[in-house]
Amino acid sequence: MKKLFLSITLIVSVLCAKADEGMWLPYNLSGQSLYEMQKLGCKLTAEQIFNLNQASLKDAIVQFGGGCTGELISPEGLLLTNHHCGLSYVQKHATVEHDYLTEGFWAHSKAEELPNPGLTVSFLINVEDVTEAVLDSVTNEETRSKVINGNIKKIIKERKGERDVTIEIVPFYSGNQYIMFEYDVYRDVRLVCCPPWGIGKYGADTDNWTWPRHKGDFNIFRVYTDKDGRPAKYSEDNIPMQSKHFLPINIKGVHQGDYAMILGYPGSTDRYSTSYTVKNIIESEAPGYINCRTTKLNEYRKHMDADQEVFIKYASKQAGVSNYWKYFIGQQKQLVRNHVYDRRLEQEKDFMAWMFEDPSRQAEYGDIFDGIKEKWEILDDIMMPMTYLREAGWNGGEAVAASRRFMKINNLIKEKASKEDIEKAMEPLKEQVATFFKDYDKDLDKDVTIALLNLFYKDIDRYVPSMIAEIGDKNNGDFTAWVEKAFKKSIFVDRDKLEKWLAKPKKLDKDPIFAMAMNIIDEYNNVVIPLYREAALVGDKGERLYMKGLMEMQNERDFYPDANFTMRLTYGTVEPYKGADAVNYNYYTTMDGVMAKYVPGNWEFDIPQDVRDLAEARDYGRYADENGDLVVNFITTNDITGGNSGSPVINGNGELIGLAFDGNWEAMSGDIMFEQQVQRTICMDARYLLWCLEKVGKVENVVGEMVIVE
């Protein structure tokens, strides 16, 4: 059996022979791992990829915002990420008069770069296995979680001390291992470039998660520091970061079979889960998300198409809702098409056969599926209602969601807290109110709220909040009249009313929007969450032991950990694939394909006039390939998932050749089971990036900062 609590060195020193599967921890690469990478074309040493003591590739890679990846591409802190990762920050700067979403934004000097309050980027500075300390004093399943959480808090407090760093301790292999990560967090990150909508969002929902693609999915920011190079909040006195390491950009072009490596922060996979997980996704989780988000998107689209001001306000919100709406559609479809449930069952049968071969294995693993089955019987009952409580409930209508921020202050008022405590609690709310109403449309929110409450009442027959049940029963499932009345009365849909309340706060219990939000949360917290915790208590031990047993049973296999938004390395090659019978996809797309999809006035497929002019003249300059075409996107066999958006695609010399931004439709089940034959990463070609900067944005100042390899 492999040693369970693998050291970081052992985890990554030998990688799977199939070079495209696996999101590997990139620490202390050596031996077989480098051998496999070098066979494919990697010319870097392990120290050049990851080194805690001197500059390496890892120092160019950041966690961007709340869930993406970015990379430094100049000596002065230029930061590249995806358009959809930076979209919400661009949207905050956009107005009808300065429509940066539609027209793009290009800073022609550092003085024109725009600050983004709340945006952070994090650089990894230290890694340490702390499994023994985290599991200290764990003696039983009932207190396991409490003890672990207490140990984690203690370790973080002791390690952090007075330092200005962020420390996270993250479970691996279903809680069989714990690793600590330390980050420097930079809080002055300014917008430099955003392409027009017809480049950065080209194809929108129709093309999302599909190949072939024709999208310039990029934004450029710049990281600033204080005068001593340290992380600092925004200040006019701050200076551009002096990059410890940055990626040169190679424009020689990609070809089939070329080596491709990705470093980034993949968010979540569940590759070692049981058949019960797969069944629940197919039958409960995915349908819940699809139903709720389809309903919301229909209302968004109706209002956004009718009014450009509403389009600007809701562009980022719509994109956020639609991305995982289509993801769940694809995941559900491909889990079935790729027979993932049946493949999981086969693995469990193999496990049981292996277990019964040895009495000691029977003693350790014999009853684990009893607990797992009991866990998922509970979750099967509550997963659909849980999804609706979140998606159609407290996160459904915006006013309902916003009212939740006032829970604390309402409780303080009811408890007759001191004036000082109440005023302190109100301070952050004042700024949040201004931000909320800047991008709020009351009519749209009203229609969304009606549609989602109607859907909730119609679809869910258990764990329904009492207010939703009562209103629905009285009105034959039609919430129109109630919502109309609520929107006339509530302070949460009217800025003037809310600001008057802030000036003289009082109890909110009678506000209909607030009352609805509290009723939904009560059902979730007091009924559903206890069941969820019960499920974890009876089943998590079994799933943890199943992971341990799989590693013991398949002791010739190297197990990469599931993604959990920690830095990972994946490597592969540029390759085409066969999507279906008689459907064979090339490995790249060109500007000709962009023009072929062009539909004038269409929000998904319109193209700016200057881009059309350049394409018609075939004015591609040094970025044209050997055929005179401009390559836009390409695909690789790399293994990525959400969170990898914005990750660099790096060649064997450590140079940027592209920007990862999506997966493909045929492998939408890939977060649960890697699909060896069809799984691909969709990337924007570095030549298209530079062409957009030079020819469309005309930001020679930005291009001039970069090191370009021709």
Side-chain angles (χ1 to χ4, degrees), residues 523-534:
E523 183 71 22
Y524 188 83
N525 287 339
N526 298 328
V527 180
V528 177
I529 284 299
L531 291 170
Y532 188 84
R533 289 173 179 154
E534 179 185 342

Side-chain angles (χ1 to χ4, degrees), residues 213-324:
R213 296 290 284 280
H214 301 85
K215 183 180 181 185
D217 198 346
F218 76 93
N219 275 332
I220 295 178
F221 294 79
R222 189 188 303 277
V223 185
Y224 281 76
T225 70
D226 68 14
K227 292 181 179 180
D228 297 318
R230 296 172 301 196
K233 294 181 179 180
Y234 171 80
S235 169
E236 292 183 359
D237 296 328
N238 285 348
I239 62 174
M241 166 182 274
Q242 300 303 297
S243 304
K244 186 176 181 181
H245 186 83
F246 66 93
L247 302 178
I249 301 179
N250 187 299
I251 60 170
K252 294 180 180 180
V254 297
H255 300 88
Q256 185 172 340
D258 282 355
Y259 177 78
M261 177 170 65
I262 292 175
L263 278 171
Y265 286 89
S268 177
T269 57
D270 208 359
R271 297 271 175 83
Y272 308 111
S273 58
T274 67
S275 59
Y276 296 96
T277 301
V278 179
K279 180 175 180 288
N280 184 269
I281 293 171
I282 293 171
E283 296 181 357
S284 297
E285 185 177 15
Y289 276 103
I290 293 166
N291 294 344
C292 293
R293 294 196 174 203
T294 298
T295 300
K296 178 177 277 191
L297 288 169
N298 287 341
E299 300 303 322
Y300 273 18
R301 194 78 264 148
K302 179 173 66 178
H303 288 267
M304 292 172 71
D305 289 345
D307 189 328
Q308 182 64 14
E309 184 177 359
V310 176
F311 177 87
I312 293 171
K313 288 181 176 181
Y314 282 81
S316 178
K317 299 173 189 177
Q318 189 272 347
V321 174
S322 68
N323 190 41
Y324 273 86

Side-chain angles (χ1 to χ4, degrees), residues 598-663:
Y598 168 50
V599 180
N602 183 282
W603 77 279
E604 295 184 298
F605 293 102
D606 205 351
I607 304 172
Q609 182 64 54
D610 56 345
V611 177
R612 300 202 306 271
D613 292 343
L614 289 164
E616 288 167 4
R618 301 187 70 77
D619 184 1
Y620 304 142
R622 59 176 172 168
Y623 308 116
D625 69 3
E626 55 268 26
N627 300 314
D629 295 323
L630 179 62
V631 174
V632 174
N633 296 154
F634 64 91
I635 50 176
T636 72
T637 60
N638 292 85
D639 185 3
I640 70 166
T641 189
N644 271 125
S645 291
S647 295
V649 187
I650 303 169
N651 67 11
N653 297 318
E655 300 158 346
L656 185 84
I657 56 174
L659 185 63
F661 69 87
D662 213 350

Side-chain angles (χ1 to χ4, degrees), residues 89 92-93 114-120 187 189 234 431:
Y89 301 101
K92 290 174 183 177
H93 294 293
L114 301 176
N116 300 280
L119 174 57
T120 63
R187 296 174 175 84
V189 186
Y234 171 80
E431 183 176 340

